[in-house]
Amino acid sequence: MKRVALRPENAHQARLLHLLQDGPRSRAELGDVVELSRSKLAVEVGRLTELGLIEEAGLAASRGGRRAAVVRLSQRLRFAAIDIGATSVDVAVTGGDLEILAHAAEPCDVRDGPDAVLSVALEALGKLRSRGIATELHGVGVGVPGPVSFRDGFPVAPPIMPGWDRYPVRDVLAQQLGCPALIDNDVNIMALGEMHAGVAKTVDDFLLVKIGTGIGCGIVVDGEIYRGVSGCAGDIGHIRVNDDGPACSCGNTGCLEAYFGGAALARQAEEAARSGASGHLAERLAQAGRLTAEDVGTAAAAGDAVAIAIIRDGGRRVGQVLAGLVSFFNPGLVVIAGGLAGLGHVLLAEIRSVVYRRSLPLATGNLPITLAELGDTCGVVGAAKLISSHVFSH
Amino acid sequence: MKRVALRPENAHQARLLHLLQDGPRSRAELGDVVELSRSKLAVEVGRLTELGLIEEAGLAASRGGRRAAVVRLSQRLRFAAIDIGATSVDVAVTGGDLEILAHAAEPCDVRDGPDAVLSVALEALGKLRSRGIATELHGVGVGVPGPVSFRDGFPVAPPIMPGWDRYPVRDVLAQQLGCPALIDNDVNIMALGEMHAGVAKTVDDFLLVKIGTGIGCGIVVDGEIYRGVSGCAGDIGHIRVNDDGPACSCGNTGCLEAYFGGAALARQAEEAARSGASGHLAERLAQAGRLTAEDVGTAAAAGDAVAIAIIRDGGRRVGQVLAGLVSFFNPGLVVIAGGLAGLGHVLLAEIRSVVYRRSLPLATGNLPITLAELGDTCGVVGAAKLISSHVFSH
């Protein structure tokens, strides 16, 4: 089987590939968009076809004259996506257009370290590929739950990932899979996912706030992830909301995560259960022996007043931090995502109320604050987007 | 006199102009940097010469073979800069390389409205030009002390500029002066100034925090001003530092400016004078009838303990807000500028101490926090940079 060449040769070809990622187009349509002469367009399309990156796909409906030939991304293009979470790893294979062809989630503790976790991921990926859908891979994108040096391709001092510090994830996977690889943190990956196929499709400057075990923020400037000079931009979980607040695992006091991370929610829920303030949570604690953030969500959904108050209070703290960031960054959209986003509209209402009251009116005049649209697949779609943008660029 | 054409015709010419803004170069040096063949470079240099944008400037020192011809920006290029402050307006004329050829500052109250203030600015500019240094202008850049819609070219709901809301400053000046014009807020203009000739020359991602009558922040991403979707990014003066803080002019409580703007400092100084806590400030109040932020600086410089405590407290509040923004934005540099930056090293030490203690270690590992380098000319250099970048781009 002929090996597919991996990269476009010039900026025009890169532009054509990005356009075709949104679906097939006739040559005429492509010519309109990229502003190339008919003959130059024919040359570039020809080269991309030779490279195996695109292919003919029949004739378009008539626009009056001869029916134009339609081209599309090669149906043989395959990207792999690996989304590593704290307690599970998601893997997927997509086509060039990032449609998911196969997807699997494996339970897996990130604290077991890179060798164990990457083995699980590679084995799950191997199973998907053995179904015959991806003999060859053209790139792999990876997300991890911690800070990443994007340039170096490894996690840097990730708090919940012992053993991963500076482990060369990118290079190890590139070698194991024989294709280009890129790694980024899970929040940036989610922002890319929502930008490709979710709620942020038409927005150039936005923030995606992930509220889960930790709290982080993906920053998108002009359609590109902004990573900061050390790659840790968006790490908002340890912004102080109150000098006299509870102690945080980071050693400071009053950090946002000390109020509203997964651990903080579980702690507040257990307090409410033990003090008898919430019968619902007490019952659940008696059954399960411990409480999680999820239990708070379930209790709130069942109308438990204490659980709702916990979520309201947390939402207010998130809103306080976000209000400042909205004044600073003046985004076109704020997306709330992550496990605790499942706490839903109570949380969203509280965040909105604080941001709309506290931020600069000019910055909120036209600012939607919404829940993420993509569910469980957001991470893998984003990881596939990360690597495909790289492979499709010049 | 032949009218100088205003814009490069393609991206190569734009690149050449930007390079020459940093000084004359031989053709050989230009060829090395822009990666054009000798013959193509000759064509572009020829066109720029015909357009009147560049000119020959003798021969370079020998590099072994024939001595290369040196080219430079046309010595006839002239940019005007207008930096409108709360109580004065600075005007300047620069060459293409943004060296200041003439500079004047006129007292002027921004609250007198656009007609009055722009008249003062245009008259001052006319006087400078009448010295024969700028028969023709190739562009004018303007800074104002309030939020600006950069795209529309006017201030938007500026709190300290009554009468300026949506007044078409850009278009009025373009018409009056017969050249391209651009307007931006004073903080962005200062960031451009420090980037062109000050402390931020080699940094792509940085924050410039201006502390004066108000408090604002210029955000630079990848060497470009980031303005946000409504043009109000960086408006950090009303980020809340304390729920129970003093009332702010904006209607909320505990805003940064309510602690450390010019008005807040004056208020604290007068309290200290009246309560007898500071003999120095009491004496000054008796002489002057009122106190200003400047008096706090003078008292602190003279060793007055109360004044130093006021500055320390304010610096801590600025530091609290900046600590969050540094974790969020992960900049390569933070520049402290503006009138109150004159409070000097006490202020800087306090800001540094809070940011280095509170921000994410990864974000501060290699983060200088310094005072601005350019003094009174920062605004006009930045305004000239704003318009020259526009005129020199394709």
Side-chain angles (χ1 to χ4, degrees):
Chain A
M1 190 174 182
K2 196 183 85 180
R3 190 169 170 80
V4 176
L6 290 176
R7 303 292 286 273
E9 300 164 326
N10 60 41
H12 294 307
Q13 293 180 10
R15 184 81 205 286
L16 292 168
L17 291 172
H18 278 104
L19 283 168
L20 293 171
Q21 198 167 37
D22 289 330
R25 300 247 197 163
S26 74
R27 281 166 187 261
E29 287 167 338
L30 288 175
D32 291 350
V33 183
V34 297
E35 289 179 2
L36 280 176
S37 70
R38 210 172 173 135
S39 59
K40 279 189 180 159
L41 179 67
V43 170
E44 302 299 358
V45 167
R47 278 300 294 154
L48 286 170
T49 311
E50 282 171 36
L51 292 168
L53 287 164
I54 69 174
E55 61 190 26
E56 300 277 349
L59 296 176
S62 172
R63 295 209 297 186
R66 221 167 41 156
R67 290 169 65 199
V70 168
V71 292
R72 65 182 177 196
L73 290 179
S74 164
Q75 298 299 290
R76 289 169 45 224
L77 283 170
R78 292 293 179 269
F79 295 113
I82 301 177
D83 182 21
I84 298 170
T87 56
S88 67
V89 55
D90 277 57
V91 297
V93 173
T94 78
D97 57 4
L98 310 191
E99 284 296 314
I100 294 176
L101 303 174
H103 179 205
E106 298 287 336
C108 173
D109 191 332
V110 76
R111 291 172 299 184
D112 293 343
D115 288 340
V117 173
L118 295 182
S119 290
V120 171
L122 287 171
E123 195 183 326
L125 187 59
K127 272 190 210 151
L128 298 186
R129 293 176 70 189
S130 70
R131 297 181 202 161
I133 54 164
T135 322
E136 197 174 12
L137 286 177
H138 304 99
V140 54
V142 188
V144 296
V148 165
S149 171
F150 182 72
R151 201 185 41 206
D152 297 313
F154 50 57
V156 180
I160 65 164
M161 300 173 70
W164 290 79
D165 187 24
R166 295 176 184 268
Y167 182 90
V169 178
R170 179 190 66 198
D171 297 345
V172 165
L173 285 174
Q175 204 186 7
Q176 293 265 341
L177 294 170
C179 63
L182 283 179
I183 174 177
D184 206 340
N185 79 62
D186 55 352
V187 188
N188 289 346
I189 292 289
M190 290 178 85
L192 287 172
E194 288 290 330
M195 195 162 38
H196 178 72
V199 73
K201 257 187 131 162
T202 59
V203 191
D204 282 337
D205 302 306
F206 72 96
L207 302 180
L208 178 136
V209 180
K210 183 189 172 191
I211 311 175
T213 309
I215 298 179
C217 180
I219 307 171
V220 176
V221 173
D222 204 14
E224 305 276 345
I225 296 288
Y226 172 79
R227 296 186 174 88
V229 294
S230 324
C232 64
D235 205 333
I236 65 171
H238 302 282
I239 291 182
R240 178 177 287 189
V241 289
N242 194 334
D243 278 355
D244 312 315
C248 181
S249 59
C250 75
N252 272 312
T253 55
C255 297
L256 180 56
E257 275 186 26
Y259 282 103
F260 200 51
L265 273 182
R267 192 194 65 233
Q268 290 171 65
E270 294 188 1
E271 280 168 16
R274 295 216 174 86
S275 73
S278 161
H280 194 290
L281 289 171
E283 202 174 304
R284 177 78 192 131
L285 178 62
Q287 284 163 9
R290 56 189 282 270
L291 292 177
T292 65
E294 228 168 18
D295 296 320
V296 181
T298 313
D304 183 79
V306 173
I308 292 174
I310 290 175
I311 294 171
R312 282 232 171 96
D313 183 61
R316 203 173 65 244
R317 306 297 180 168
V318 174
Q320 273 174 260
V321 169
L322 258 180
L325 298 181
V326 163
S327 290
F328 173 77
F329 187 71
N330 185 201
L333 171 69
V334 174
V335 184
I336 309 294
L340 299 196
L343 300 179
H345 290 278
V346 173
L347 174 64
L348 192 62
E350 197 66 33
I351 292 175
R352 282 179 172 153
S353 136
V354 179
V355 173
Y356 290 144
R357 190 175 67 240
R358 286 288 323 178
S359 302
L360 205 68
L362 243 169
T364 56
N366 199 11
L367 174 70
I369 303 177
T370 60
L371 296 176
E373 259 181 23
L374 303 182
D376 296 342
T377 58
C378 186
V380 288
V381 170
K385 179 69 184 172
L386 176 72
I387 191 63
S388 74
S389 292
H390 173 70
V391 168
F392 288 169
S393 50
H394 172 57
Chain B
M1 188 174 182
K2 196 182 87 181
R3 188 169 171 80
V4 176
L6 290 176
R7 303 291 287 271
E9 300 163 327
N10 59 43
H12 294 306
Q13 293 179 13
R15 184 82 205 287
L16 291 169
L17 291 172
H18 277 104
L19 283 170
L20 291 171
Q21 198 166 38
D22 289 329
R25 299 248 197 163
S26 74
R27 282 167 188 260
E29 286 168 339
L30 288 175
D32 291 350
V33 183
V34 297
E35 289 179 2
L36 280 177
S37 70
R38 211 171 170 135
S39 59
K40 280 189 179 159
L41 179 67
V43 170
E44 302 302 356
V45 167
R47 278 300 294 154
L48 285 171
T49 310
E50 281 171 37
L51 291 168
L53 287 164
I54 68 174
E55 62 191 24
E56 300 277 348
L59 296 176
S62 172
R63 295 210 294 188
R66 220 168 42 159
R67 291 169 64 200
V70 169
V71 292
R72 64 182 179 196
L73 290 179
S74 164
Q75 299 297 293
R76 289 169 45 225
L77 283 170
R78 292 293 178 268
F79 296 113
I82 301 177
D83 182 21
I84 298 171
T87 56
S88 68
V89 56
D90 276 57
V91 296
V93 173
T94 78
D97 56 4
L98 309 191
E99 284 296 312
I100 294 177
L101 303 174
H103 179 207
E106 298 286 338
C108 174
D109 192 331
V110 76
R111 292 172 299 184
D112 292 343
D115 287 340
V117 174
L118 294 182
S119 291
V120 171
L122 287 171
E123 196 182 326
L125 187 59
K127 271 189 213 153
L128 297 186
R129 292 177 70 190
S130 68
R131 298 182 202 162
I133 55 165
T135 322
E136 196 173 13
L137 286 177
H138 304 101
V140 55
V142 188
V144 297
V148 164
S149 171
F150 182 72
R151 200 185 42 207
D152 297 314
F154 50 58
V156 180
I160 65 163
M161 300 173 68
W164 290 80
D165 188 25
R166 296 177 183 269
Y167 181 90
V169 179
R170 179 189 66 198
D171 297 345
V172 165
L173 285 174
Q175 204 186 7
Q176 294 264 341
L177 294 171
C179 63
L182 283 179
I183 174 178
D184 206 340
N185 79 62
D186 54 353
V187 188
N188 288 346
I189 291 289
M190 290 177 86
L192 286 172
E194 288 291 330
M195 195 161 38
H196 178 71
V199 72
K201 258 186 130 161
T202 58
V203 191
D204 282 337
D205 302 308
F206 72 95
L207 302 179
L208 179 137
V209 180
K210 183 189 170 188
I211 310 175
T213 309
I215 298 179
C217 181
I219 307 171
V220 175
V221 173
D222 204 14
E224 306 275 344
I225 296 288
Y226 173 79
R227 297 184 175 88
V229 295
S230 322
C232 65
D235 206 332
I236 64 171
H238 302 282
I239 291 182
R240 179 176 287 188
V241 290
N242 194 333
D243 278 356
D244 312 316
C248 181
S249 59
C250 77
N252 271 313
T253 55
C255 298
L256 180 57
E257 275 185 27
Y259 281 102
F260 200 50
L265 273 183
R267 194 194 63 234
Q268 291 170 65
E270 294 189 0
E271 280 168 16
R274 295 217 174 84
S275 73
S278 162
H280 193 291
L281 289 171
E283 203 174 303
R284 178 78 192 131
L285 179 62
Q287 285 163 7
R290 57 188 280 270
L291 291 177
T292 65
E294 229 168 18
D295 296 320
V296 181
T298 312
D304 183 80
V306 172
I308 293 174
I310 291 175
I311 294 171
R312 282 232 170 96
D313 183 62
R316 203 173 65 244
R317 306 297 181 170
V318 174
Q320 273 174 259
V321 169
L322 258 180
L325 298 181
V326 163
S327 289
F328 172 76
F329 186 71
N330 185 201
L333 171 70
V334 173
V335 184
I336 308 294
L340 299 196
L343 300 180
H345 290 278
V346 173
L347 175 63
L348 193 62
E350 198 66 33
I351 293 175
R352 283 179 171 154
S353 136
V354 179
V355 172
Y356 290 145
R357 190 174 68 240
R358 286 291 320 179
S359 301
L360 205 67
L362 244 169
T364 55
N366 198 10
L367 174 70
I369 303 177
T370 60
L371 295 176
E373 260 181 22
L374 303 183
D376 296 342
T377 58
C378 186
V380 288
V381 170
K385 178 69 184 174
L386 176 72
I387 191 63
S388 73
S389 292
H390 174 70
V391 167
F392 287 168
S393 49
H394 173 56

